[in-house]
Amino acid sequence: MHTPVIFDHPLIQHKLTHLRDKNTGTKEFRELISEISGLMCYEATRNLPTQETQVETPIGPAKTKVLAGRKLAVVPILRAGLGMVDGFLDLIPAAKVGHIGLYRDPETHLPVEYYCKLPPDISEREVFVVDPMLATGGSAVDAIHLIKQKGAQSIHFLCIIAAPEGLELLTKTHPDVNVYCAGLDERLNENAYIVPGLGDAGDRIFGTK
Ligand code: PRP
Ligand code: URA
């Protein structure tokens, strides 16, 4: 099993504080989600392979490096995962984007699938699944099952806040997936919301509450 990475970078922690604040409005919330996602993307891509190349600078030849290996795909879990896509694409504009639609049934808290559209060559790509919240872990586990069914072999999961319950389910069910979180919180409440968390991520991104 890969040990989950919990980011302790001061910039990420600072932005996460504002994100949690109930007085942060929709515009700033979206901006913060995007900025944190970019910083997380930067860290989560640290071990991507590179290969040597050469370019001519105005002064002369330079031996330098470019990304090698698999091309990348980012797959947000709808809706809230959409808020993390732009931060990712700002750094990796050539990445393809897939979408998986899941919502949690309000009674059972179990994920219900309503959409799945992935790049056709997903099996050849390094896949970064993004969703701000990992609560029970049901949505992430199901999304990753779907992506594996389509042939993906190398998968990373990035969330902004995780609950211990979700992290345990995800790492036990998909031990091959690299997991990255900006914050690991205390627990879930009786409605399966993360405590203290940040509330409902989708509603705060899209202003639907
Ligand atoms: C939220 C969140 C995750 C899921 C996490 O989505 O964005 O996808 O809940 O919960 P879990 O770990 O217990 O499955 P939600 O179902 O509220 O849908 P939305 O993004 O459309 O608001
Ligand atoms: N989904 C959210 O948006 N927030 C939580 O705390 C749990 C699930």
Side-chain angles (χ1 to χ4, degrees):
M1 184 185 91
H2 299 283
T3 308
V5 176
I6 315 292
F7 293 122
D8 57 1
H9 193 289
L11 281 180
I12 293 181
Q13 294 308 314
H14 181 87
K15 290 177 190 294
L16 186 52
T17 300
H18 290 295
L19 197 68
R20 289 182 188 277
D21 189 336
K22 68 177 183 185
N23 296 314
T24 297
T26 301
K27 175 177 178 288
E28 196 189 349
F29 191 88
R30 269 191 214 132
E31 289 166 358
L32 286 163
I33 288 260
S34 202
E35 289 165 7
I36 293 170
S37 306
L39 293 166
M40 291 180 73
C41 168
Y42 176 77
E43 284 291 331
T45 50
R46 176 174 292 282
N47 295 318
L48 290 182
T50 56
Q51 68 187 28
E52 293 223 334
T53 185
Q54 187 166 316
V55 292
E56 290 290 323
T57 80
I59 310 298
K63 279 206 173 93
T64 181
K65 290 181 179 173
V66 287
L67 287 174
R70 294 168 187 272
K71 292 181 183 158
L72 308 189
V74 56
V75 179
I77 301 178
L78 306 180
R79 291 175 300 165
L82 286 173
M84 297 180 70
V85 173
D86 283 352
F88 222 90
L89 293 181
D90 282 348
L91 296 181
I92 308 175
K96 292 272 167 71
V97 183
H99 295 88
I100 292 186
L102 294 173
Y103 71 88
R104 292 200 319 175
D105 182 284
E107 301 296 325
T108 64
H109 307 138
L110 292 173
V112 181
E113 184 195 333
Y114 60 90
Y115 190 75
C116 180
K117 181 88 177 172
L118 300 174
D121 58 353
I122 195 82
S123 61
E124 293 153 32
R125 291 182 179 264
E126 196 82 22
V127 181
F128 293 81
V129 183
V130 295
D131 189 332
M133 309 306 276
L134 180 70
T136 64
S139 303
V141 161
D142 282 13
I144 292 169
H145 273 311
L146 280 170
I147 295 166
K148 284 184 175 174
Q149 273 170 16
K150 304 274 180 184
Q153 298 176 23
S154 184
I155 302 176
H156 310 255
F157 178 79
L158 281 75
C159 65
I160 295 184
I161 300 183
E165 295 89 332
L167 199 54
E168 189 182 353
L169 182 71
L170 178 57
T171 52
K172 279 203 174 135
T173 316
H174 295 295
D176 52 314
V177 170
N178 297 297
V179 179
Y180 308 87
C181 323
L184 176 59
D185 278 9
E186 288 163 26
R187 62 184 171 87
L188 297 177
N189 69 13
E190 60 285 4
N191 297 317
Y193 271 77
I194 301 175
V195 180
L198 50 70
D200 188 304
D203 282 344
R204 292 194 68 184
I205 292 171
F206 296 107
T208 42
K209 211 169 209 171

